[in-house]
Amino acid sequence: MNIDNLLDEARKLNCSDIHFTTGLPPVVRQHGTLKRLSSYPVCTNTSILGVIDQITDLRHKEQIASLQDCDLCYNSKSGYRHRVNIYRQKGDHAIAIRLLRDTVPTLKELRLPEILGDFAVKPRGLVLVTGPTGSGKSTTLAAMINHINKQRNSHVIIIEDPIEYLHKHGKSMINQREIGQDVDNFADALRSALREDPDVILVGEMRDFETINAAITAAETGHLVMSTVHTTDAASTIDRIIDVFPPHQQQQVRTQLASTLVGICSQQLIPKADNSGRIAALEVLVATDAVSAMVRENKVHQIPNAIQTGRAFGMLSRDQELARLVQNGSISYDEARIRTSNPEDFERFLKSPGTPAVNM
């Protein structure tokens, strides 16, 4: 099985991912739906090892042999980049490959709201993009870095595992560090970044106490820090960050977060009504003075209401956005209904004359 030919075929089909697991032919994710490539033979552990041999170097082979999961970036012969995770299941090997774009997208190309560009040019603070796996968080952050690169004379340090989008120096100087190759872990890279004269730091994921603590500290000390969290909305994102800390530190973290938070964009990708692809449905929280007070005073439960009434500040309510996408025919009612935060609010927005479109 030639992996480069298969990757090229998957790109022609507009797939986002390819999976190899024993007992099935290669499985692709096309517009959010898994499909088996029945023209290929069923994968065995031997055939999967053959694919692994094509895409790994000696360092990665040693890591896999020691029973560790392995993350890497693979460049195909066609010049495209791919994010790869190699893991084991029931004693056999398995592979998940994410197909990456060969160019860095713009906010306008992704039809993302202007407020994300405003977040990107803030001189300091914490900006978070959240959502489930495969919701386009890395692509949104790449577009925001692209915006910085065109608008700001800044030093940008990007820390990822692995590096996904390759950024060229533009108006900004951009240095990209890969976990496992350039530095051991996110927390160490963040602490080192503070000694590297950055203006902007992008952390691929805030996944543990050390990384979250270092990111908040970096934002407090006058840097713009951008990262992702695997949460579904703004309120749960704030709760997740605070809950990582021991109880006796949580009030201090609320105060730190209240003073550093710039905004949160929570997103999910939904199949289009015409089956031509997927479209992002967003929730955007802007850290106004009122929102900062809610965070500081442990009134995070009030944030959904603040978002609904904060459109003038650039905020977007998920349920309002879902209703707008149904009203303009972008997505079906059924796809929207199963993703609502509050079904009653969604139905109310859907019956309104028309939810105003966000500035793109």
Side-chain angles (χ1 to χ4, degrees), residues 134-165:
S135 60
K137 299 184 295 296
S138 296
T139 301
T140 295
L141 281 175
M144 294 173 75
I145 293 295
N146 191 13
H147 186 79
I148 290 171
N149 202 15
K150 293 177 179 178
Q151 301 290 329
R152 292 181 57 176
N153 180 12
S154 302
H155 179 201
V156 181
I157 294 179
I158 300 175
I159 307 162
E160 291 183 288
D161 182 19
I163 291 171
E164 297 194 19
Y165 289 90

Side-chain angles (χ1 to χ4, degrees), residues 58-281:
L58 180 59
R59 177 171 64 90
H60 295 127
K61 286 180 172 65
E62 290 175 347
Q63 186 176 345
I64 295 164
S66 64
L67 301 183
Q68 297 181 58
D69 287 359
C70 181
D71 292 303
L72 60 111
C73 192
Y74 175 69
N75 291 296
S76 67
K77 290 181 179 178
S78 300
Y80 293 102
R81 291 170 58 80
H82 306 81
R83 188 183 74 196
V84 181
N85 179 265
I86 300 169
Y87 60 102
R88 287 181 182 250
Q89 58 90 28
K90 293 189 293 187
D92 289 338
H93 294 79
I95 312 171
I97 302 179
R98 170 67 49 82
L99 281 66
L100 304 176
R101 294 171 56 134
D102 59 332
T103 57
V104 182
T106 66
L107 294 171
K108 187 173 183 180
E109 287 170 349
L110 297 177
R111 297 179 57 81
L112 294 172
E114 291 178 357
I115 190 65
L116 297 191
D118 295 341
F119 288 170
V121 296
K122 293 289 185 182
R124 65 189 64 83
L126 182 64
V127 175
L128 300 174
V129 178
T130 80
T133 300
S135 60
K137 299 184 295 296
S138 296
T139 301
T140 295
L141 281 175
M144 294 173 75
I145 293 295
N146 191 13
H147 186 79
I148 290 171
N149 202 15
K150 293 177 179 178
Q151 301 290 329
R152 292 181 57 176
N153 180 12
S154 302
H155 179 201
V156 181
I157 294 179
I158 300 175
I159 307 162
E160 291 183 288
D161 182 19
I163 291 171
E164 297 194 19
Y165 289 90
L166 292 177
H167 295 269
K168 297 179 180 179
H169 302 302
K171 193 168 184 179
S172 291
M173 174 176 66
I174 300 181
N175 287 310
Q176 297 183 249
R177 309 190 72 194
E178 184 167 311
I179 302 300
Q181 177 172 302
D182 302 310
V183 67
D184 285 339
N185 55 65
F186 283 113
D188 286 350
L190 260 170
R191 284 189 284 268
S192 295
L194 297 181
R195 299 188 294 270
E196 293 156 4
D197 188 33
D199 300 292
V200 180
I201 304 171
L202 188 153
V203 188
E205 184 180 348
M206 298 204 317
R207 63 175 71 164
D208 53 42
F209 169 78
E210 290 78 10
T211 305
I212 293 172
N213 191 35
I216 292 175
T217 299
E220 266 193 315
T221 53
H223 307 86
L224 180 66
V225 178
M226 305 165 67
S227 190
T228 69
V229 184
H230 283 91
T231 46
T232 56
D233 57 41
S236 64
T237 301
I238 294 168
D239 285 335
R240 171 75 60 84
I241 290 172
I242 292 169
D243 288 345
V244 164
F245 291 82
H248 69 276
Q249 290 185 15
Q250 290 184 358
Q251 185 53 50
Q252 175 188 342
V253 175
R254 288 189 188 96
T255 301
Q256 291 175 298
L257 202 54
S259 64
T260 58
L261 187 65
V262 171
I264 299 174
C265 171
S266 300
Q267 60 186 60
Q268 51 185 297
L269 295 177
I270 303 175
K272 292 182 179 178
D274 61 3
N275 295 316
S276 64
R278 291 184 292 172
I279 190 169

Side-chain angles (χ1 to χ4, degrees), residues 11 16 65 69 122 164 170 215 224 227 235 265 282 286 306-307 312 322 327:
R11 284 190 181 274
S16 61
D69 287 359
K122 293 289 185 182
E164 297 194 19
L224 180 66
S227 190
C265 171
L282 306 182
V286 180
I307 292 174
L322 288 170
Q327 288 171 340

